[in-house]
Amino acid sequence: MTPPLEGITVLDFSRVLAAPMATQILGELGATVIKVERPGSGDETRGFEPRLPAGESAYFFAVNRGKRSVTLNLKDPRGRDVARRLAARADVVVENFLPGTMDGLGLGYAELAADNPGLVYVSATGFGQTGPDSARKGYDTVFQALSGIMAMTGEPDGPPAKTGIPVADLTSGLWVVIAALTGLAGRGVTGRGRHLDVSMMDVQLSLHALNAARLFALDEDPAPTGSQHPGRVPSAAFLAADGRWVHISCSDQHWRDLCRVLRLDDLGSDHTLRDNAGRVARRDRVMTALRTAIACRDSDKLVEELRAADVPVGEVRGVREALADPHARARGVVGAFSHPTEGTFPALRTPLRETGAPPPDTASPPMLGADTDAVLADAGLGTDEIAALRGAGVI
């Protein structure tokens, strides 16, 4: 089956995590992604730990698969001229420099769109193109702190905690994808591109949809609740007799069945606990009874019984166990690629599946500058011109 973005070219000036993850997704959807990197060193993440046996970075491998790598010195006017020639042939440009940096290089949206009116240009920055903090720098955990996410993560009596994944980077990357697809869809109607501004801070604030609703409704700033849901009881992780944690989250239609499996007939027959509002109002009583009952049960048997009763439940797993789950294997979540120096290496496939099609193959990340000559030749540069640029250290 033809990938949905086949024929689309993405010129990728981004580095580190959020935007590179986005361009990898666009590549997984069929786009040709040309990653522009600094000669000699490339994307900073090529040097990040952990390193693999042949010296490549596992971090770089995670978000740069399936791309073509071109080395280009954008500080040299000849390098900027090459970049403009590449942009003239591109459908999408993605960049994540501080606001004004690309304009200063002559590679901003206005200049590139003058030669390519259909260009979709996505700028992914920490604080956006406008506002008093637009020039401010930050990383994932800084945005978790500033956005309120860190203040409400962890146990109620514990210190602020970051999430277990780089949520600011990963969710911002998804919005870069949404921005690119929005621009392409709009171009299909108007024939013209546009400049789209993705702010990591804006994205994190947008994740507070439910928290903001609670704040607006109750004038209550959300506080950390550990694994418990602030508006649903029960919805929390419970420690079983064998030392494993089991997360149970049930609504009104599951309550009686949960009590039956746990042999808590007094709770199941109590009319004051039949709806969620009643259980939230009596949270301590309910949670104490559930914790006591579950502490005497084996986790595997408990999960089996609760699943048979259609009560939403899940073991609290580590990443290794989660990826090895039979359902994950059946869905083809983990694939592999063949790399020139590291050999066969496992990787996560895109979660997007097309009905009737097998899970997509996993492409290899590029060696630094591996595609420079081919990409520049495709852009119309001759052999002598490419050799002169290489001799001058521009590529």
Side-chain angles (χ1 to χ4, degrees):
M1 298 185 181
T2 302
L5 295 186
E6 186 170 300
I8 296 296
T9 297
V10 177
L11 187 58
D12 180 12
F13 291 101
S14 71
R15 64 263 190 262
V16 190
L17 179 52
M21 184 195 81
T23 54
Q24 176 174 282
I25 292 172
L26 295 173
E28 290 170 333
L29 295 176
T32 297
V33 180
I34 299 171
K35 183 177 180 68
V36 177
E37 303 188 69
R38 289 172 297 185
S41 57
D43 188 322
E44 297 98 301
T45 60
R46 286 187 181 273
F48 281 15
E49 301 295 333
R51 297 297 186 94
L52 302 176
E56 298 294 330
S57 166
Y59 192 114
F60 180 83
F61 275 21
V63 292
N64 288 287
R65 298 189 301 272
K67 303 178 184 181
R68 307 180 77 188
S69 173
V70 171
T71 53
L72 198 58
N73 182 3
L74 298 180
K75 295 181 179 180
D76 189 299
R78 293 164 293 183
R80 295 194 292 271
D81 180 65
V82 172
R84 282 190 288 271
R85 293 171 70 170
L86 295 175
R89 301 163 57 89
D91 299 283
V92 178
V93 161
V94 175
E95 60 92 8
N96 63 349
F97 293 98
L98 285 173
T101 300
M102 292 293 274
D103 289 327
L105 294 172
L107 299 172
Y109 172 68
E111 183 159 353
L112 296 185
D115 295 327
N116 183 357
L119 184 66
V120 174
Y121 193 106
V122 183
S123 293
T125 59
F127 294 89
Q129 300 295 304
T130 60
D133 283 340
S134 61
R136 185 174 176 178
K137 297 179 180 180
Y139 286 110
D140 175 273
T141 48
V142 172
F143 297 112
Q144 289 192 45
L146 289 172
S147 67
I149 291 175
M150 191 175 287
M152 56 175 297
T153 303
E155 294 298 327
D157 298 326
K162 70 178 185 65
T163 60
I165 59 173
V167 65
D169 277 317
L170 298 180
T171 54
S172 296
L174 295 177
W175 272 98
V176 172
V177 174
I178 293 170
L181 297 180
T182 298
L184 290 171
R187 187 182 72 172
V189 175
T190 67
R192 299 190 66 83
R194 63 190 70 199
H195 186 195
L196 294 150
D197 173 10
V198 178
S199 156
M200 291 180 68
M201 188 63 180
D202 290 354
V203 171
Q204 300 324 292
L205 294 174
S206 78
L207 300 180
H208 285 305
L210 298 180
N211 299 326
R214 186 178 184 88
L215 174 65
F216 300 153
L218 304 176
D219 194 26
E220 178 183 297
D221 207 3
T225 58
S227 68
Q228 292 196 54
H229 192 293
R232 176 183 291 176
V233 174
S235 181
F238 299 88
L239 185 61
D242 55 5
R244 292 208 63 177
W245 290 86
V246 175
H247 194 283
I248 298 170
S249 184
C250 77
S251 298
D252 293 346
Q253 67 265 33
H254 311 118
W255 173 244
R256 297 289 294 273
D257 289 325
L258 173 63
C259 292
R260 175 179 55 78
V261 170
L262 294 178
R263 303 178 184 87
L264 295 173
D265 297 334
D266 55 331
L267 266 66
S269 60
D270 188 336
H271 72 279
T272 67
L273 302 178
R274 289 184 180 178
D275 63 41
N276 185 62
R279 295 192 298 275
V280 170
R282 298 163 180 83
R283 180 187 293 270
D284 289 346
R285 176 192 168 196
V286 172
M287 292 298 293
T288 297
L290 295 178
R291 289 189 183 108
T292 300
I294 292 169
C296 301
R297 302 291 297 273
D298 175 79
S299 62
D300 288 342
K301 181 64 174 176
L302 176 61
V303 169
E304 180 182 341
E305 291 184 33
L306 289 175
R307 289 189 61 184
D310 284 332
V311 176
V313 60
E315 309 92 321
V316 177
R317 298 167 168 170
V319 176
R320 184 193 305 275
E321 186 180 5
L323 293 180
D325 179 77
H327 183 76
R329 290 201 301 268
R331 293 284 294 173
V333 170
V334 179
F337 58 81
S338 180
H339 187 266
T341 63
E342 299 292 354
T344 301
F345 192 77
L348 298 182
R349 287 191 172 103
T350 171
L352 188 63
R353 300 287 185 271
E354 184 171 352
T355 300
D361 292 332
T362 304
S364 176
M367 298 293 287
L368 180 61
D371 306 289
T372 301
D373 287 18
V375 169
L376 298 191
D378 289 345
L381 279 74
T383 303
D384 292 343
E385 189 174 3
I386 293 172
L389 290 172
R390 176 165 285 108
V394 177
I395 61 175

